[in-house]
Structures are given as structure tokens and as C-alpha cells.
Amino acid sequence: MNEIKKPALTINAGRCYTADETDIMNIKCCNADSIYFRLIPCSADFYGQITKNYYRNKLKVLNTLLKMPATQTWTIPAHNTQDYSEKRFIAYFPALPAGNYVLCSSLRPFEQKDTLLFDFMPVQTSNLQYGYRCNGQTVEVEVFNRKSGKPMKNVSVSFSQKNNVKTLLTDATGKVLFTFKGRNDYDLKVYTNGDTLQRKVYLSSYNISSREKINYGGSVFTDRAIYRPGQMLYFKTISYAYDTAFQ
């Protein structure tokens, strides 16, 4: 019975949101009345530092985050019906300028320093987006605007592994080409006019072009799930093609 009564919280938020636009998070929780959020602006390097200490000393990490100024704090109801059941619902992620943030969440006010119910995750907000495809010892990076989908010219793309850093500007099609050897984790950073998007990517020179191909698919949507005899049926279809090598 004690296990059933335990509070629990899972936040499924995007790793990157469009800058200056409200978005959503998926919430899963039970045995809680409220969920507390705290957004802290930071650098990407800072998140890496606190992650290393998270499982060693959660209280130290919590104290560090509480000392930092938050750009926003808010509380939402957890829809507790006192029946110990799990609740799933959507909550809004606030509109934020482009940058790196730490999203902290808890089922109790942060001042109580209850590390059992405390968690955090990195969130980036940006107007940039990119994809990449690997073919042998070449990786092609394509940068485009997150809102319009148009390719972006003269955007800096940094490709690094340890102390080896290469930086190039995108061409008129929003693309750059890098060469590499072997297989490793690389830091891929895209930046322009104060807007930065970065993440780690795993690349292998053993990927070959014969694995690249175009897949096709489609979906059909109807205006309702069930029809009576003689009723008019309205529908629409969407067809699409995607490059399996583009990530």
C-alpha cells in the first residue's frame, strides 16, 4: 500500500523549442497536488557540470540551482483525485528568447529542498534547426530556419572532437561539408547573431552511401471515426518522402 501512495513525476519536455513561442510538455504524475517549475538561464557547459554531480550529491546540485536567478517560476495543478491513479496531461512551456536553460521540476516547493521529488533537464530555445547525413568519411550538415523551414546562408557551423575544432560557414543552400575518420562522438554547434544550437552526435565513417535511400509513405484522415449508412464521408490524404540518411 505504501508503494501505491508514493508520489511520482515524469516530465517529457522537448530538448529544443522555438524561441519566443509557447509550446507544450507532457506530464505524468500521481499522488501530488501541485507541480512546481523553475527555469534558469545558463550555458551549455554549466549543464554538463551539474549533471556529473547529480547522482553523487543531489542536494548540492539543488542548492546550486536555487542560488541562481530564475527567469521564470510557476506552479500548475496536478489534478489529484485522491485515488492513487496516474494522471497524464499537457502543460505549457513558456515563450523564451533564444538561449540555454535548465528546467527544474518538483512536487513540492523548491525551498523545502526535497531531493527525492526534484529533477532537472536541459532545454534550448532557438530559431535554428539542422540535420545531417553521413556518407563514408564525409558529413553534410544542413541548416534551416526553425519557423520558415528555409535554408540559412552564412551560418557558422562548428564540428569538434576533443581539441580538434573545425568551423565553416553555410553556403547559399544552407549546407557545409566536414570530413572525419573512424567513429566517435562529436560536438556539433550552429550559431549566428547570438542564437546557438548545439548537441553531441555520433558519427561513423563505416556508414556508406548504399544505405541511403528515399522512403515513401502516406496517411489518410477522415472527418469522423464512425459513419451511419448513407452519410457523406470527407477525407484528406498526405503523401511524403524522406531520406533515411538525414538525421
Side-chain angles (χ1 to χ4, degrees), residues 12-233:
N12 185 10
R15 293 292 180 174
C16 186
Y17 289 108
T18 302
D20 303 310
E21 288 190 5
T22 302
D23 216 308
I24 62 172
M25 304 180 289
N26 291 302
I27 310 294
K28 184 169 63 174
C29 70
C30 63
N31 302 324
D33 297 320
S34 300
I35 304 173
Y36 301 83
F37 292 98
R38 183 179 178 89
L39 261 172
I40 301 169
C42 69
S43 67
D45 291 337
F46 171 79
Y47 178 78
Q49 294 170 9
I50 60 174
T51 302
K52 291 179 181 178
N53 295 321
Y54 180 58
Y55 294 105
R56 299 175 186 173
N57 193 333
K58 292 178 68 175
L59 182 58
K60 182 178 179 180
V61 171
L62 178 56
N63 287 334
T64 299
L65 292 173
L66 289 179
K67 291 176 182 177
M68 300 177 66
T71 187
Q72 288 197 39
T73 59
W74 72 99
T75 306
I76 63 172
H79 307 290
N80 190 1
T81 52
Q82 308 299 327
D83 58 0
Y84 313 121
S85 63
E86 181 181 84
K87 304 298 185 296
R88 301 185 182 211
F89 53 93
I90 290 174
Y92 287 102
F93 185 87
L96 295 169
N100 288 281
Y101 302 86
V102 174
L103 174 64
C104 304
S105 58
S106 177
L107 292 179
R108 294 180 184 166
F110 289 103
E111 291 73 16
Q112 294 185 14
K113 299 182 180 179
D114 189 339
T115 59
L116 294 176
L117 303 176
F118 159 73
D119 205 353
F120 65 93
M121 65 178 296
V123 177
Q124 295 182 84
T125 55
S126 176
N127 289 311
L128 302 170
Q129 183 58 289
Y130 67 81
Y132 66 91
R133 58 172 60 85
C134 183
N135 183 14
Q137 296 183 3
T138 302
V139 57
E140 179 188 69
V141 181
E142 182 177 352
V143 181
F144 47 94
N145 186 284
R146 181 177 286 268
K147 294 181 180 179
S148 67
K150 294 181 179 180
M152 298 183 66
K153 181 181 179 181
N154 292 329
V155 175
S156 297
V157 180
S158 175
F159 182 73
S160 61
Q161 202 270 327
K162 295 183 178 179
N163 296 323
N164 185 15
V165 181
K166 300 177 184 178
T167 303
L168 296 174
L169 293 177
T170 56
D171 60 18
T173 63
K175 297 178 181 179
V176 294
L177 288 174
F178 293 98
T179 58
F180 69 99
K181 293 182 179 180
R183 47 190 175 190
N184 243 314
D185 288 319
Y186 292 85
D187 289 310
L188 189 55
K189 181 168 71 171
V190 177
Y191 55 98
T192 182
N193 299 324
D195 192 349
T196 301
L197 183 61
Q198 65 185 90
R199 64 176 175 176
K200 285 189 177 294
V201 297
Y202 175 77
L203 300 178
S204 172
S205 59
Y206 300 105
N207 289 345
I208 55 177
S209 58
S210 61
R211 297 179 62 184
E212 300 178 13
K213 61 179 181 179
I214 303 298
N215 280 359
Y216 300 91
S219 300
V220 178
F221 303 90
T222 59
D223 63 324
R224 63 182 68 184
I226 300 176
Y227 295 87
R228 294 176 181 174
Q231 280 188 319
M232 184 67 70
L233 185 151

